[in-house]
Amino acid sequence: MSGDDATPEAAEEGRRPLRTDLRPIVEAVREADAAAFVAVGDRFDDDLRYLTRFSGPDRPYALVVVPDEPVGRAVLCAPALFREQAEREFVAPARDAAADPTEDADTGFHDGVAREVRTESVGDHAGERAAAVVDDLVDGASAAAEGDGPTVLAPASIPHDAAVYLERAGNDLASTDAVTDARTRKTPAEVDRLRRVQRAAVAGMARAEAVLAESAVVGAGEDEREADERSGDDRRPPLRWADEPLTTERLRREVNQVLAARGVRDAGNTVIGAGPSAADLHYVGDDPIRPGETVLLDISPRGPDGYYGDVTRTFVVDGDGGWERRAYVAVEAAREAALDEIEPGVPAKTVHGEAAAELAAYGFDPNAGEGEAGFTHGTGHGVGVSLHEGPSLSGAGELRPGHVVTVEPGVYDPEIGGVRLEDLIVVTDEGYEILAEYPFGIVPEKRPDAR
């Protein structure tokens, strides 16, 4: 886990320098007895965004990292039109604040890895440009004499065409998990960003809960009752809000307006299901919201630095205390059981095991398959520049300080609905911290901070 040198003022503003420690990548190259590490992608490639902090363009570019004195060297092959932005986002933030600008350009970097931007041969494929940099930086004379090319590490997700260009240049490619492993443990600066976007997510949740609390329960008119009798549908009429029927799409728009006002993007991740569609883990359609049925809201916006939030709550307006109440109590208990297990050194899958056991104690199937009634997913996953990343609370490995994960047990019945409660937590030396707390309760209320 890398450290961040931040002033107290920057820490108070939640704007510590956001920079990536590239030493684990250099160490992975050395341990594999390889010559270099190469990543190729565009602004939508989360690994490359994490490694470089470079936010453009939408066409491929490349990063090459090699061991060097005192630690290593990293070269970003950027399009010429983006050189200034690349210098600003990739090179400048990685320098220590106390570094002397008159010193050698290769010194003064926080992790000892010198950074530079190259814009030569911009018409060539990013894989070709990366191969040229590897050839320039790596002494492959001895390997070439033996008929072997240098070994280059790359993420498993490297584009096929980039891999072909690297191999045609005489390099032997080997896959590495070094980036995936490095991303699991967040720096204080990363936690700042996650906390900021999570606060926006809970503000969106407060707006949704307020709308549900303000909604009116209405009785069915004669025409509606006759239509229901003909169709065999005994569901109650939709709630009304602002003089119109309330739907999941209307509620989603209210949430997304709050997210935008807080400076984050909904990223198409505002999931709201009502009644049976609440059992759909990724529902983004338009359903009427009815009294007595579960309304499940899963809000996962993305902040300006690429980090996600993730929060889920479930509400019922004018419920009768049946399945939904029993499910809610069970999920609350499972959440507490999961949180009780979280501390450094605990096997991640223990957290899932405790949550599943608690749901089973309440009579819900803890191993239900997709489309079945019960607990159909893992208890949690990592969150960072990807909405779903390591570690998994159902996977191998132990929890470590700096892991940021969701805790989100849930139970579902495709014919009735679903209940899920989710928070985003960071594992600390002493246990864990919830990054942005939000109240619980199946009956919606208008909270003081909701507009």
Side-chain angles (χ1 to χ4, degrees), residues 85-150:
Q85 179 183 346
E87 293 279 0
R88 185 173 65 250
E89 297 178 347
F90 174 61
V91 179
R95 292 189 181 278
D96 282 324
D100 185 346
T102 64
E103 290 183 355
D104 185 342
D106 288 349
T107 64
F109 290 94
H110 74 103
D111 54 2
V113 179
R115 289 159 169 81
E116 64 172 295
V117 176
R118 296 189 183 183
T119 56
E120 299 87 351
S121 305
V122 293
D124 293 343
H125 187 280
E128 289 183 278
R129 298 178 67 198
V133 172
V134 171
D135 184 63
D136 179 49
L137 298 181
V138 174
D139 181 9
S142 59
E146 299 173 5
D148 296 324

Side-chain angles (χ1 to χ4, degrees), residues 97-304:
D100 185 346
T102 64
E103 290 183 355
D104 185 342
D106 288 349
T107 64
F109 290 94
H110 74 103
D111 54 2
V113 179
R115 289 159 169 81
E116 64 172 295
V117 176
R118 296 189 183 183
T119 56
E120 299 87 351
S121 305
V122 293
D124 293 343
H125 187 280
E128 289 183 278
R129 298 178 67 198
V133 172
V134 171
D135 184 63
D136 179 49
L137 298 181
V138 174
D139 181 9
S142 59
E146 299 173 5
D148 296 324
T151 298
V152 173
L153 301 186
S157 60
I158 188 170
H160 175 71
D161 52 355
V164 169
Y165 280 115
L166 286 163
E167 290 174 336
R168 283 180 179 173
N171 302 293
D172 295 325
L173 257 60
S175 181
T176 179
D177 293 328
V179 184
T180 300
D181 293 342
R183 284 174 55 184
T184 62
R185 300 184 71 179
K186 307 303 190 284
T187 66
E190 290 179 287
V191 174
D192 283 343
R193 271 61 177 188
L194 288 158
R195 183 181 288 108
R196 176 190 173 191
V197 70
Q198 187 70 356
R199 286 173 176 166
V202 300
M205 186 66 71
R207 178 57 184 157
E209 186 177 7
V211 169
L212 290 170
E214 294 168 359
S215 298
V217 177
V218 296
E222 185 174 340
D223 291 343
E224 290 174 310
R225 285 195 295 270
E226 290 179 356
D228 290 343
E229 288 173 2
R230 287 194 299 271
S231 66
D233 186 357
D234 58 356
R235 297 172 70 188
R236 298 165 67 182
L239 298 169
R240 293 189 68 84
W241 180 74
D243 298 325
E244 293 184 14
L246 182 61
T247 67
T248 55
E249 178 59 29
R250 290 189 70 201
L251 193 56
R252 184 178 298 111
R253 291 173 185 168
E254 292 295 315
V255 171
N256 290 347
Q257 285 178 11
V258 172
L259 298 180
R262 293 289 184 117
V264 303
R265 296 185 295 109
D266 65 89
N269 293 325
T270 304
V271 173
I272 304 178
S277 65
D280 184 335
L281 302 186
H282 307 289
Y283 188 76
V284 291
D286 191 13
D287 267 4
I289 298 177
R290 303 174 187 272
E293 298 183 350
T294 55
V295 184
L296 190 153
L297 299 103
D298 186 346
I299 303 173
S300 309
R302 195 175 201 186

